[in-house]
Coordinates of all heavy atoms in Angstrom, one line a residue:
M1267 N 0.8 -1.2 0.0 CA 0.0 0.0 0.0 C 0.9 1.3 0.0 O 0.6 2.2 -0.8 CB -0.9 0.0 1.2 CG -2.0 1.0 1.2 SD -3.1 0.8 -0.3 CE -4.1 2.3 -0.2
K1268 N 1.9 1.2 0.8 CA 2.8 2.4 0.9 C 3.4 2.7 -0.4 O 3.5 3.8 -0.9 CB 3.9 2.2 2.0 CG 4.4 3.5 2.6 CD 5.3 3.2 3.7 CE 5.8 4.5 4.3 NZ 6.9 4.3 5.2
K1269 N 3.8 1.6 -1.1 CA 4.5 1.7 -2.4 C 3.6 2.4 -3.4 O 4.0 3.3 -4.1 CB 4.8 0.3 -2.9 CG 6.3 0.1 -3.3 CD 6.5 -1.2 -3.8 CE 8.0 -1.4 -4.1 NZ 8.3 -2.8 -4.5
L1270 N 2.3 2.1 -3.3 CA 1.4 2.6 -4.2 C 1.2 4.1 -4.1 O 1.2 4.9 -5.0 CB 0.0 2.0 -4.0 CG -0.9 2.0 -5.2 CD1 -1.0 0.6 -5.8 CD2 -2.3 2.4 -4.8
I1271 N 1.2 4.6 -2.8 CA 1.1 6.0 -2.5 C 2.3 6.7 -3.0 O 2.2 7.7 -3.7 CB 0.9 6.2 -1.0 CG1 -0.5 5.7 -0.6 CG2 1.0 7.7 -0.7 CD1 -0.7 5.6 0.9
V1272 N 3.4 6.2 -2.7 CA 4.7 6.8 -3.1 C 4.7 7.0 -4.7 O 5.0 8.0 -5.2 CB 5.9 6.1 -2.6 CG1 7.2 6.6 -3.3 CG2 6.0 6.2 -1.1
S1273 N 4.4 5.9 -5.3 CA 4.5 6.0 -6.8 C 3.4 6.9 -7.4 O 3.7 7.6 -8.4 CB 4.4 4.6 -7.4 OG 3.1 4.1 -7.3
S1274 N 2.3 7.1 -6.7 CA 1.3 8.0 -7.3 C 1.7 9.5 -7.0 O 1.5 10.4 -7.8 CB -0.1 7.7 -6.7 OG -0.2 8.3 -5.4
I1275 N 2.5 9.7 -5.9 CA 3.0 11.0 -5.7 C 4.1 11.4 -6.7 O 4.0 12.4 -7.4 CB 3.6 11.2 -4.3 CG1 2.4 11.2 -3.3 CG2 4.4 12.5 -4.1 CD1 2.9 11.1 -1.8
A1276 N 5.0 10.4 -6.9 CA 6.0 10.6 -7.9 C 5.4 10.8 -9.3 O 5.8 11.7 -10.1 CB 6.9 9.4 -8.0
G1277 N 4.3 10.1 -9.6 CA 3.6 10.3 -10.9 C 3.1 11.6 -11.1 O 3.2 12.3 -12.1
S1278 N 2.5 12.2 -10.0 CA 1.8 13.5 -10.2 C 2.9 14.6 -10.3 O 2.7 15.6 -10.9 CB 0.8 13.8 -9.1 OG 1.4 13.7 -7.8
A1279 N 4.0 14.4 -9.6 CA 5.1 15.4 -9.7 C 5.6 15.4 -11.1 O 5.9 16.5 -11.6 CB 6.2 15.0 -8.7
L1280 N 5.7 14.3 -11.7 CA 6.2 14.2 -13.1 C 5.2 14.9 -14.0 O 5.6 15.7 -14.9 CB 6.2 12.7 -13.5 CG 7.3 12.4 -14.5 CD1 8.6 12.1 -13.7 CD2 7.0 11.3 -15.4
L1281 N 3.9 14.8 -13.8 CA 2.9 15.4 -14.6 C 3.1 17.0 -14.4 O 3.0 17.7 -15.4 CB 1.5 15.0 -14.2 CG 1.0 13.8 -14.8 CD1 -0.4 13.4 -14.3 CD2 1.0 13.9 -16.3
L1282 N 3.3 17.4 -13.2 CA 3.4 18.8 -12.9 C 4.5 19.4 -13.6 O 4.5 20.5 -14.1 CB 3.5 19.0 -11.4 CG 2.2 19.1 -10.6 CD1 2.5 19.3 -9.1 CD2 1.3 20.2 -11.1
S1283 N 5.6 18.7 -13.6 CA 6.9 19.3 -14.2 C 6.7 19.5 -15.7 O 7.5 20.4 -16.2 CB 8.1 18.4 -13.9 OG 8.0 17.2 -14.6
C1284 N 5.8 18.9 -16.3 CA 5.7 19.2 -17.7 C 4.3 19.8 -18.0 O 3.7 19.8 -19.0 CB 5.9 18.0 -18.7 SG 5.1 16.5 -18.2
G1285 N 3.8 20.5 -16.9 CA 2.5 21.1 -17.0 C 2.6 22.5 -17.8 O 3.7 22.8 -18.3
P1286 N 1.6 23.3 -17.8 CA 1.5 24.5 -18.6 C 2.3 25.6 -18.1 O 2.4 26.7 -18.7 CB 0.0 24.8 -18.7 CG -0.5 24.2 -17.5 CD 0.3 23.0 -17.1
K1287 N 3.0 25.5 -16.9 CA 3.7 26.6 -16.3 C 4.8 27.2 -17.2 O 4.7 28.4 -17.5 CB 4.3 26.2 -14.9 CG 3.5 26.8 -13.8 CD 4.2 26.8 -12.5 CE 3.4 27.5 -11.5 NZ 3.9 27.2 -10.1
S1288 N 5.7 26.4 -17.6 CA 6.8 26.8 -18.4 C 6.5 26.3 -19.8 O 6.7 25.1 -20.1 CB 8.1 26.4 -17.9 OG 9.1 26.7 -18.9
V1289 N 5.9 27.1 -20.7 CA 5.5 26.7 -22.0 C 6.7 26.8 -23.0 O 7.2 27.8 -23.3 CB 4.4 27.6 -22.6 CG1 3.8 26.9 -23.8 CG2 3.3 27.8 -21.5
A1290 N 7.2 25.6 -23.4 CA 8.3 25.6 -24.3 C 7.9 26.1 -25.7 O 6.7 25.9 -26.0 CB 8.9 24.2 -24.4
V1291 N 8.8 26.8 -26.3 CA 8.4 27.3 -27.6 C 8.6 26.2 -28.6 O 9.7 25.6 -28.8 CB 9.4 28.5 -28.0 CG1 9.2 28.9 -29.5 CG2 9.1 29.7 -27.1
T1292 N 7.5 25.8 -29.3 CA 7.6 24.7 -30.3 C 7.1 25.2 -31.6 O 7.1 24.4 -32.6 CB 6.7 23.6 -29.8 OG1 5.4 24.1 -29.5 CG2 7.2 22.9 -28.6
G1293 N 6.7 26.4 -31.8 CA 6.3 26.9 -33.1 C 5.9 28.4 -32.9 O 6.0 28.9 -31.8
P1294 N 5.5 29.0 -34.0 CA 5.1 30.4 -34.0 C 3.8 30.6 -33.2 O 3.0 29.8 -33.1 CB 4.9 30.7 -35.5 CG 4.7 29.5 -36.2 CD 5.4 28.4 -35.4
K1295 N 3.7 31.8 -32.6 CA 2.5 32.1 -31.8 C 2.1 33.6 -32.2 O 0.9 33.8 -32.5 CB 2.9 32.0 -30.4 CG 1.7 32.4 -29.4 CD 2.1 32.1 -28.0 CE 1.1 32.8 -27.0 NZ 1.7 32.7 -25.6
Y1296 N 3.1 34.5 -32.2 CA 2.7 35.9 -32.4 C 2.9 36.2 -33.9 O 3.9 35.8 -34.5 CB 3.6 36.8 -31.6 CG 3.4 36.6 -30.1 CD1 4.5 36.4 -29.3 CD2 2.1 36.8 -29.6 CE1 4.3 36.2 -27.9 CE2 1.9 36.6 -28.2 CZ 3.0 36.4 -27.4 OH 2.8 36.2 -26.0
T1297 N 2.1 37.1 -34.4 CA 2.3 37.5 -35.8 C 2.1 39.0 -35.9 O 2.5 39.5 -37.0 CB 1.3 36.8 -36.8 OG1 0.0 37.0 -36.2 CG2 1.6 35.4 -37.0
S1298 N 1.7 39.7 -34.9 CA 1.5 41.1 -35.1 C 2.8 41.8 -35.2 O 3.8 41.4 -34.5 CB 0.6 41.7 -33.9 OG 1.5 42.0 -32.8
S1299 N 2.8 42.9 -35.9 CA 4.1 43.6 -36.2 C 4.6 44.2 -34.9 O 5.8 44.3 -34.7 CB 3.9 44.7 -37.2 OG 2.8 45.5 -36.9
E1300 N 3.7 44.5 -34.0 CA 4.2 45.1 -32.7 C 5.0 44.1 -31.9 O 6.1 44.4 -31.4 CB 2.9 45.4 -31.9 CG 2.9 46.7 -31.1 CD 1.6 47.0 -30.6 OE1 0.7 47.4 -31.3 OE2 1.4 46.7 -29.4
Q1301 N 4.5 42.8 -31.9 CA 5.2 41.8 -31.1 C 6.5 41.4 -31.8 O 7.5 41.1 -31.2 CB 4.3 40.6 -30.8 CG 3.4 40.8 -29.7 CD 2.1 40.1 -29.8 OE1 1.6 39.8 -30.9 NE2 1.4 39.9 -28.7
L1302 N 6.5 41.4 -33.1 CA 7.7 41.1 -33.9 C 8.7 42.1 -33.7 O 9.9 41.8 -33.5 CB 7.4 40.9 -35.4 CG 6.5 39.7 -35.7 CD1 6.3 39.6 -37.2 CD2 7.0 38.4 -35.2
A1303 N 8.3 43.4 -33.6 CA 9.2 44.5 -33.4 C 9.8 44.4 -32.0 O 11.0 44.6 -31.7 CB 8.5 45.8 -33.5
Q1304 N 9.0 44.0 -31.0 CA 9.5 43.8 -29.7 C 10.5 42.6 -29.6 O 11.5 42.7 -28.9 CB 8.3 43.5 -28.7 CG 8.5 44.0 -27.3 CD 7.2 43.8 -26.5 OE1 6.1 43.9 -27.0 NE2 7.4 43.5 -25.3
G1305 N 10.2 41.6 -30.3 CA 11.1 40.4 -30.4 C 12.4 40.9 -31.0 O 13.5 40.4 -30.5
K1306 N 12.4 41.7 -32.0 CA 13.7 42.2 -32.6 C 14.5 43.0 -31.6 O 15.7 42.8 -31.4 CB 13.3 43.1 -33.8 CG 14.5 43.7 -34.5 CD 14.0 44.5 -35.7 CE 15.1 44.7 -36.8 NZ 15.9 45.9 -36.4
T1307 N 13.8 43.9 -30.8 CA 14.5 44.7 -29.8 C 15.1 43.8 -28.7 O 16.3 43.9 -28.3 CB 13.5 45.6 -29.1 OG1 12.8 46.4 -30.1 CG2 14.2 46.6 -28.2
I1308 N 14.4 42.8 -28.3 CA 14.9 41.8 -27.2 C 16.1 41.1 -27.8 O 17.1 41.0 -27.2 CB 13.8 40.9 -26.8 CG1 12.6 41.6 -26.1 CG2 14.4 39.8 -25.8 CD1 11.4 40.8 -26.0
F1309 N 15.9 40.6 -29.0 CA 17.0 39.9 -29.7 C 18.3 40.7 -29.8 O 19.4 40.3 -29.4 CB 16.5 39.5 -31.1 CG 17.6 38.9 -32.0 CD1 18.1 37.7 -31.7 CD2 18.0 39.6 -33.2 CE1 19.1 37.1 -32.6 CE2 18.9 39.0 -34.0 CZ 19.5 37.8 -33.7
E1310 N 18.1 42.0 -30.2 CA 19.3 42.8 -30.4 C 20.0 43.2 -29.1 O 21.2 43.3 -29.0 CB 18.9 44.1 -31.2 CG 18.7 43.8 -32.6 CD 18.1 45.0 -33.4 OE1 17.7 46.0 -32.8 OE2 17.9 44.9 -34.6
N1311 N 19.2 43.3 -28.0 CA 19.7 43.7 -26.7 C 20.3 42.5 -26.0 O 21.4 42.5 -25.4 CB 18.7 44.4 -25.9 CG 18.4 45.7 -26.4 OD1 19.3 46.5 -26.8 ND2 17.1 46.1 -26.4
A1312 N 19.5 41.4 -26.0 CA 19.8 40.2 -25.1 C 20.8 39.3 -25.7 O 21.5 38.6 -25.0 CB 18.6 39.5 -24.7
C1313 N 20.8 39.2 -27.1 CA 21.6 38.1 -27.7 C 23.0 38.6 -28.2 O 23.7 37.9 -28.8 CB 20.8 37.5 -28.9 SG 19.2 37.0 -28.4
S1314 N 23.3 39.9 -27.9 CA 24.6 40.4 -28.3 C 25.5 40.5 -27.1 O 26.6 41.1 -27.2 CB 24.4 41.7 -29.0 OG 23.8 42.6 -28.2
K1315 N 25.1 40.0 -25.9 CA 25.9 40.2 -24.7 C 27.1 39.3 -24.7 O 28.2 39.7 -24.3 CB 25.1 39.9 -23.5 CG 24.1 41.0 -23.1 CD 23.4 40.7 -21.8 CE 22.4 41.8 -21.6 NZ 21.2 41.2 -20.9
C1316 N 27.0 38.1 -25.2 CA 28.1 37.1 -25.1 C 28.8 36.9 -26.4 O 29.9 36.4 -26.5 CB 27.6 35.8 -24.6 SG 26.7 35.9 -23.0
H1317 N 28.1 37.1 -27.5 CA 28.7 36.9 -28.8 C 28.1 37.9 -29.8 O 27.1 38.6 -29.5 CB 28.5 35.5 -29.3 CG 27.1 34.9 -29.1 ND1 26.0 35.5 -29.7 CD2 26.6 34.0 -28.3 CE1 24.9 34.8 -29.3 NE2 25.3 33.9 -28.4
K1318 N 28.6 37.9 -31.0 CA 28.0 38.8 -32.0 C 26.6 38.4 -32.3 O 26.3 37.2 -32.2 CB 28.8 38.7 -33.3 CG 30.0 39.7 -33.4 CD 30.5 39.8 -34.9 CE 30.6 38.4 -35.5 NZ 31.2 38.3 -36.8
L1319 N 25.8 39.3 -32.6 CA 24.4 39.0 -33.0 C 24.4 37.9 -34.1 O 24.9 38.2 -35.2 CB 23.7 40.3 -33.4 CG 22.2 40.4 -33.0 CD1 22.0 40.2 -31.5 CD2 21.8 41.8 -33.4
P1320 N 23.7 36.8 -33.9 CA 23.7 35.8 -34.9 C 22.8 36.2 -36.1 O 21.9 37.0 -35.9 CB 23.2 34.5 -34.3 CG 22.5 35.0 -33.1 CD 23.1 36.3 -32.7
D1321 N 23.2 35.7 -37.3 CA 22.3 36.0 -38.5 C 21.1 35.1 -38.4 O 21.1 33.9 -38.2 CB 23.1 35.6 -39.7 CG 22.4 35.9 -41.0 OD1 21.2 36.3 -40.9 OD2 23.0 35.6 -42.1
P1322 N 19.9 35.8 -38.4 CA 18.6 35.0 -38.3 C 18.6 33.9 -39.4 O 17.9 32.9 -39.1 CB 17.5 36.1 -38.6 CG 18.2 37.4 -38.1 CD 19.6 37.2 -38.5
A1323 N 19.2 34.1 -40.5 CA 19.2 33.1 -41.6 C 20.1 31.9 -41.3 O 20.1 30.9 -42.0 CB 19.6 33.7 -42.9
K1324 N 20.8 32.0 -40.1 CA 21.7 30.8 -39.8 C 20.9 29.5 -39.6 O 21.4 28.5 -39.9 CB 22.4 31.2 -38.5 CG 23.3 30.1 -38.0 CD 24.3 30.5 -37.1 CE 25.4 29.4 -36.9 NZ 25.8 29.2 -35.5
H1325 N 19.6 29.7 -39.1 CA 18.8 28.5 -38.8 C 17.5 28.6 -39.5 O 16.9 29.7 -39.6 CB 18.6 28.3 -37.3 CG 19.9 27.9 -36.6 ND1 20.5 26.7 -36.7 CD2 20.6 28.6 -35.7 CE1 21.6 26.7 -36.0 NE2 21.7 27.8 -35.3
D1326 N 16.9 27.4 -39.8 CA 15.5 27.4 -40.2 C 14.6 27.4 -39.0 O 15.1 27.4 -37.9 CB 15.3 26.2 -41.2 CG 15.5 24.9 -40.5 OD1 15.6 24.8 -39.3 OD2 15.5 23.9 -41.2
D1327 N 13.3 27.3 -39.2 CA 12.4 27.4 -38.1 C 12.6 26.3 -37.0 O 12.6 26.6 -35.8 CB 10.9 27.3 -38.6 CG 10.6 28.4 -39.6 OD1 11.5 29.2 -39.9 OD2 9.4 28.5 -40.0
Q1328 N 12.9 25.1 -37.5 CA 13.2 24.0 -36.5 C 14.5 24.3 -35.8 O 14.6 24.1 -34.6 CB 13.3 22.7 -37.3 CG 11.9 22.1 -37.6 CD 11.1 21.8 -36.4 OE1 11.6 21.3 -35.4 NE2 9.8 22.2 -36.4
G1329 N 15.5 24.7 -36.5 CA 16.8 25.0 -35.9 C 16.7 26.0 -34.8 O 17.4 25.9 -33.8
W1330 N 15.9 27.1 -35.0 CA 15.8 28.1 -34.0 C 15.1 27.6 -32.8 O 15.4 28.1 -31.7 CB 15.1 29.4 -34.6 CG 16.1 30.3 -35.3 CD1 16.1 30.6 -36.6 CD2 17.3 30.9 -34.8 NE1 17.2 31.4 -36.9 CE2 17.9 31.6 -35.8 CE3 17.9 30.9 -33.5 CZ2 19.1 32.3 -35.6 CZ3 19.1 31.6 -33.3 CH2 19.7 32.3 -34.4
I1331 N 14.2 26.7 -32.9 CA 13.6 26.1 -31.7 C 14.6 25.5 -30.8 O 14.7 25.8 -29.6 CB 12.5 25.0 -32.1 CG1 11.3 25.7 -32.7 CG2 12.1 24.2 -30.9 CD1 10.2 24.7 -33.2
K1332 N 15.6 24.8 -31.5 CA 16.6 24.1 -30.7 C 17.6 25.1 -30.1 O 17.9 25.1 -28.9 CB 17.4 23.1 -31.6 CG 16.6 21.8 -31.8 CD 17.6 20.7 -32.3 CE 16.9 19.7 -33.1 NZ 17.5 19.4 -34.4
T1333 N 18.1 26.0 -31.0 CA 19.1 27.0 -30.5 C 18.5 27.9 -29.4 O 19.2 28.1 -28.4 CB 19.6 27.8 -31.7 OG1 20.3 26.9 -32.6 CG2 20.6 28.8 -31.2
L1334 N 17.3 28.4 -29.6 CA 16.7 29.3 -28.7 C 16.4 28.6 -27.3 O 16.5 29.2 -26.3 CB 15.5 29.9 -29.2 CG 15.6 31.2 -30.0 CD1 14.2 31.8 -30.2 CD2 16.5 32.2 -29.3
S1335 N 16.1 27.3 -27.4 CA 15.9 26.6 -26.1 C 17.2 26.5 -25.3 O 17.1 26.4 -24.1 CB 15.2 25.3 -26.3 OG 16.2 24.4 -26.9
R1336 N 18.3 26.6 -25.9 CA 19.6 26.7 -25.2 C 20.0 28.1 -24.8 O 20.5 28.4 -23.8 CB 20.7 26.1 -26.1 CG 20.6 24.6 -26.3 CD 21.9 24.0 -26.8 NE 22.3 24.5 -28.1 CZ 23.4 25.2 -28.4 NH1 24.3 25.3 -27.4 NH2 23.7 25.6 -29.6
M1337 N 19.7 29.1 -25.7 CA 20.1 30.5 -25.5 C 19.2 31.3 -24.7 O 19.7 32.2 -24.0 CB 20.3 31.1 -26.9 CG 21.5 30.6 -27.7 SD 23.0 30.7 -26.8 CE 23.9 29.2 -27.3
A1338 N 17.9 31.1 -24.8 CA 17.0 31.9 -24.0 C 17.3 31.9 -22.5 O 17.3 32.9 -21.9 CB 15.5 31.5 -24.3
P1339 N 17.5 30.7 -21.9 CA 17.9 30.7 -20.5 C 19.2 31.4 -20.2 O 19.3 32.1 -19.2 CB 18.1 29.2 -20.2 CG 17.3 28.5 -21.2 CD 17.4 29.3 -22.5
K1340 N 20.2 31.3 -21.2 CA 21.4 32.1 -21.0 C 21.1 33.6 -20.9 O 21.8 34.3 -20.2 CB 22.4 31.8 -22.2 CG 23.1 30.5 -22.1 CD 24.2 30.6 -23.2 CE 24.7 29.2 -23.7 NZ 25.5 28.5 -22.6
A1341 N 20.2 34.0 -21.8 CA 19.9 35.4 -21.9 C 18.8 35.8 -20.8 O 18.4 37.0 -20.8 CB 19.4 35.8 -23.3
K1342 N 18.4 34.9 -20.0 CA 17.4 35.1 -19.0 C 16.1 35.7 -19.5 O 15.6 36.6 -18.9 CB 18.0 36.0 -17.9 CG 19.2 35.4 -17.2 CD 19.6 36.1 -15.9 CE 20.6 35.4 -15.1 NZ 21.9 35.1 -15.9
L1343 N 15.7 35.1 -20.6 CA 14.4 35.6 -21.2 C 13.3 34.9 -20.5 O 13.4 33.7 -20.1 CB 14.4 35.3 -22.7 CG 15.4 35.9 -23.6 CD1 15.1 35.5 -25.1 CD2 15.6 37.4 -23.4
S1344 N 12.2 35.6 -20.4 CA 10.9 35.0 -19.9 C 10.4 34.1 -21.0 O 10.8 34.3 -22.2 CB 9.9 36.0 -19.5 OG 9.5 36.7 -20.6
D1345 N 9.4 33.3 -20.7 CA 8.8 32.4 -21.7 C 8.2 33.3 -22.9 O 8.3 33.0 -24.0 CB 7.7 31.6 -21.1 CG 8.2 30.5 -20.2 OD1 9.4 30.2 -20.3 OD2 7.4 29.9 -19.5
D1346 N 7.7 34.4 -22.5 CA 7.0 35.3 -23.5 C 8.1 36.0 -24.3 O 7.9 36.1 -25.6 CB 6.2 36.4 -22.7 CG 5.0 36.8 -23.6 OD1 4.4 35.9 -24.2 OD2 4.6 37.9 -23.5
Q1347 N 9.2 36.4 -23.7 CA 10.3 37.1 -24.5 C 10.9 36.0 -25.4 O 11.2 36.3 -26.6 CB 11.3 37.6 -23.5 CG 10.9 38.8 -22.8 CD 11.9 39.2 -21.7 OE1 12.4 38.3 -21.0 NE2 12.0 40.5 -21.5
H1348 N 11.1 34.8 -24.9 CA 11.6 33.7 -25.7 C 10.7 33.5 -27.0 O 11.2 33.5 -28.1 CB 11.6 32.5 -24.8 CG 12.1 31.2 -25.5 ND1 12.3 30.0 -24.8 CD2 12.4 30.9 -26.8 CE1 12.7 29.1 -25.6 NE2 12.8 29.6 -26.8
Q1349 N 9.4 33.5 -26.7 CA 8.4 33.4 -27.8 C 8.5 34.5 -28.9 O 8.5 34.3 -30.1 CB 7.0 33.3 -27.3 CG 5.9 33.1 -28.3 CD 6.0 31.7 -28.9 OE1 5.9 30.7 -28.2 NE2 6.1 31.5 -30.2
M1350 N 8.6 35.7 -28.4 CA 8.7 36.9 -29.3 C 10.0 36.9 -30.1 O 10.0 37.2 -31.3 CB 8.5 38.2 -28.5 CG 7.1 38.4 -28.1 SD 6.7 40.0 -27.4 CE 7.3 39.8 -25.7
V1351 N 11.1 36.5 -29.5 CA 12.3 36.5 -30.2 C 12.2 35.4 -31.3 O 12.6 35.6 -32.4 CB 13.5 36.2 -29.2 CG1 14.8 35.9 -30.0 CG2 13.8 37.4 -28.3
Y1352 N 11.7 34.2 -30.9 CA 11.5 33.1 -31.9 C 10.7 33.6 -33.1 O 11.1 33.4 -34.2 CB 10.9 31.9 -31.2 CG 10.6 30.8 -32.2 CD1 11.7 30.1 -32.7 CD2 9.3 30.6 -32.7 CE1 11.5 29.1 -33.7 CE2 9.1 29.6 -33.7 CZ 10.2 28.9 -34.2 OH 10.0 27.9 -35.2
D1353 N 9.5 34.2 -32.8 CA 8.7 34.7 -33.9 C 9.3 35.7 -34.7 O 9.1 35.7 -36.0 CB 7.3 35.2 -33.3 CG 6.5 34.0 -32.7 OD1 6.8 32.8 -33.0 OD2 5.5 34.3 -32.0
Y1354 N 10.1 36.6 -34.1 CA 10.8 37.6 -34.9 C 11.8 36.8 -35.8 O 11.9 37.1 -37.0 CB 11.6 38.6 -34.0 CG 12.7 39.3 -34.8 CD1 12.4 40.2 -35.8 CD2 14.0 39.0 -34.6 CE1 13.4 40.8 -36.6 CE2 15.0 39.6 -35.3 CZ 14.7 40.5 -36.3 OH 15.7 41.1 -37.1
L1355 N 12.6 35.9 -35.3 CA 13.7 35.2 -36.0 C 13.1 34.5 -37.2 O 13.6 34.6 -38.3 CB 14.5 34.3 -35.1 CG 15.4 35.0 -34.2 CD1 16.0 34.0 -33.2 CD2 16.5 35.7 -34.9
I1356 N 12.0 33.8 -37.0 CA 11.4 33.0 -38.1 C 10.7 33.9 -39.1 O 10.3 33.5 -40.2 CB 10.6 31.8 -37.7 CG1 9.3 32.3 -37.0 CG2 11.3 30.8 -36.8 CD1 8.2 31.2 -36.9
S1357 N 10.4 35.2 -38.7 CA 9.8 36.1 -39.7 C 10.8 36.7 -40.6 O 10.5 37.2 -41.7 CB 9.0 37.2 -39.0 OG 9.9 38.1 -38.4
V1358 N 12.1 36.6 -40.3 CA 13.2 37.2 -41.1 C 14.2 36.1 -41.6 O 15.2 36.5 -42.3 CB 13.9 38.3 -40.4 CG1 12.9 39.5 -40.2 CG2 14.5 37.9 -39.1
N1359 N 14.0 34.9 -41.2 CA 15.1 33.9 -41.6 C 14.9 33.3 -43.0 O 15.8 32.5 -43.4 CB 15.2 32.8 -40.5 CG 14.0 31.8 -40.6 OD1 13.0 32.1 -41.2 ND2 14.1 30.7 -39.9
K1360 N 13.9 33.7 -43.7 CA 13.7 33.1 -45.0 C 14.6 33.7 -46.0 O 14.8 34.9 -46.1 CB 12.2 33.2 -45.5 CG 11.2 32.9 -44.4 CD 11.1 31.4 -44.1 CE 10.0 31.0 -43.2 NZ 10.1 31.6 -41.9
K1361 N 15.3 32.8 -46.8 CA 16.2 33.3 -47.7 C 15.5 33.7 -49.0 O 14.5 33.2 -49.3 CB 17.3 32.3 -48.0 CG 18.3 32.3 -46.9 CD 19.2 31.1 -46.9 CE 19.9 30.9 -45.6 NZ 20.3 29.6 -45.3
Ligands
HEC2721 C1 25.2 34.2 -21.3 C2 25.8 34.3 -22.6 C3 25.0 34.1 -23.9 C4 23.8 34.8 -24.2 C5 23.1 35.9 -23.4 C6 23.4 34.3 -25.5 N1 24.3 33.4 -25.9 FE1 24.2 32.4 -27.8 N2 25.9 31.4 -27.3 C7 26.6 31.5 -26.1 C8 27.8 30.6 -26.1 C9 28.8 30.4 -25.0 C10 27.7 29.9 -27.4 C11 28.7 28.9 -27.9 C12 28.5 27.5 -27.3 C13 27.1 26.9 -27.7 O1 26.9 26.8 -28.9 O2 26.4 26.5 -26.8 C14 26.6 30.5 -28.1 C15 26.2 30.1 -29.4 C16 25.2 30.6 -30.1 C17 24.8 30.3 -31.4 C18 25.6 29.3 -32.3 C19 25.2 27.9 -32.1 C20 24.0 27.5 -32.8 O3 23.2 26.7 -32.3 O4 23.8 28.0 -33.9 C21 23.7 31.0 -31.8 C22 23.0 31.0 -33.1 C23 23.3 31.8 -30.6 N3 24.2 31.5 -29.6 C24 22.2 32.6 -30.5 C25 21.8 33.3 -29.4 C26 20.6 34.0 -29.3 C27 19.5 34.1 -30.4 C28 20.6 34.6 -28.1 C29 19.5 35.5 -27.4 C30 18.3 34.8 -27.1 C31 21.8 34.3 -27.4 N4 22.6 33.4 -28.2 C32 22.2 34.7 -26.1 C33 26.3 32.4 -25.0 C34 25.2 33.2 -25.0

């Protein structure tokens, strides 16, 4: 019986950890020019601290999901800022 309780607690903790609190960026969300402009500003300010500003055309839409999921925490972006930077990047990365 004790085992059952423990495993159900562990199970719900697991569920919580991938709950809606921290929404990973998995695709585009914003399209308004205001939010894209904000994404550009955040990108230019936050992403030039440690290295030169990367070329948005360096990655395709999928590639930016991966790279930004590593870089957004480095730049201490909120989930929303992360999303806006992503949406800006994929709005300008088309060759
Ligand atoms: C705290 C320092 C730091 C900040 C802030 C930062 N980066 Fe980086 N970035 C690095 C380091 C270190 C590397 C090289 C090692 C690596 O690739 O993880 C790197 C590598 C990269 C690369 C090359 C690797 C790849 O996957 O193409 C890109 C592109 C990049 N960063 C984009 C960004 C963007 C966009 C932002 C803003 C959201 C950002 N970085 C903010 C430290 C930072």
Side-chain angles (χ1 to χ4, degrees):
M1267 194 55 187
K1268 207 175 178 189
K1269 234 184 184 171
L1270 204 104
I1271 291 168
V1272 169
S1273 70
S1274 77
I1275 289 172
S1278 55
L1280 212 89
L1281 274 180
L1282 275 180
S1283 69
C1284 47
K1287 252 196 175 162
S1288 175
V1289 193
V1291 172
T1292 53
K1295 178 175 168 192
Y1296 296 126
T1297 48
S1298 86
S1299 52
E1300 224 170 278
Q1301 278 149 337
L1302 296 182
Q1304 213 176 323
K1306 181 175 195 280
T1307 307
I1308 299 165
F1309 172 67
E1310 285 169 354
N1311 290 319
C1313 306
S1314 58
K1315 283 186 188 145
C1316 307
H1317 45 63
K1318 271 196 318 190
L1319 215 51
D1321 181 356
K1324 178 163 193 218
H1325 291 294
D1326 61 12
D1327 298 7
Q1328 280 301 315
W1330 277 119
I1331 290 178
K1332 283 200 206 128
T1333 296
L1334 271 191
S1335 69
R1336 291 194 297 123
M1337 292 300 146
K1340 282 193 202 290
K1342 300 192 168 56
L1343 301 186
S1344 70
D1345 289 344
D1346 212 37
Q1347 291 171 320
H1348 180 172
Q1349 181 73 56
M1350 286 188 280
V1351 170
Y1352 176 74
D1353 289 345
Y1354 161 69
L1355 287 171
I1356 65 162
S1357 76
V1358 292
N1359 70 347
K1360 312 291 186 295
K1361 282 169 195 155

